[in-house]
Amino acid sequence: MQCKDVQNKFIPFINDELNQKELKEFLGHIHQCKNCYEEYDIYYTMIMGMRYLESDNNKTELKIDSGQKIREVEDYLLQYKILQCEKIILLVVLCIGLVLLL
């Protein structure tokens, strides 16, 4: 993924609009490219700050930590991968069970 592609995905990333493949590519680039990470951090801080100001300040928690967002998405991708592995294992076990029954 090129820097320009990643920069076009800052807002969709912040809004949780990327699919698993896009998230993986986005995070891979962000971890390798210091300039894109710094620009993402600025975007995230600005957007979350504006959302906080537009909301009822007493009811909305301010989430300014862009690194926390990245960690949450990494955890989500790990859980998604584990779930996919569990599905494959279950399918294999079911197939083995069917073969043994025949």
Side-chain angles (χ1 to χ4, degrees):
M1 206 175 222
Q2 301 295 322
C3 291
K4 185 176 181 179
D5 299 325
V6 170
Q7 292 164 358
N8 288 332
K9 295 190 184 287
F10 287 158
I11 293 173
F13 176 78
I14 293 167
N15 292 334
D16 297 322
E17 297 171 350
L18 300 180
N19 63 36
Q20 284 79 18
K21 181 183 178 202
E22 292 171 321
L23 285 171
K24 186 177 178 181
E25 292 172 351
F26 180 88
L27 291 176
H29 185 90
I30 286 291
H31 285 305
Q32 294 177 3
C33 182
K34 182 180 178 183
N35 291 334
C36 284
Y37 182 85
E38 289 174 356
E39 191 169 339
Y40 154 73
D41 186 47
I42 292 167
Y43 265 79
Y44 185 86
T45 303
M46 272 187 353
I47 289 170
M48 297 311 288
M50 287 187 307
R51 287 181 185 171
Y52 179 76
L53 291 174
E54 291 172 351
S55 69
D56 181 2
N57 296 347
N58 297 328
K59 296 182 181 178
T60 304
E61 180 181 335
L62 181 59
K63 295 183 179 181
I64 294 291
D65 186 7
S66 63
Q68 179 65 30
K69 169 75 173 174
I70 289 176
R71 288 186 294 278
E72 288 172 0
V73 171
E74 288 171 337
D75 289 344
Y76 165 76
L77 287 175
L78 178 61
Q79 291 174 2
Y80 180 81
K81 189 174 183 178
I82 290 170
L83 181 61
Q84 294 301 334
C85 290
E86 288 174 347
K87 288 179 181 179
I88 292 170
I89 291 170
L90 179 60
L91 181 61
V92 168
V93 168
L94 289 174
C95 289
I96 291 171
L98 281 173
V99 169
L100 291 175
L101 286 174
L102 300 175

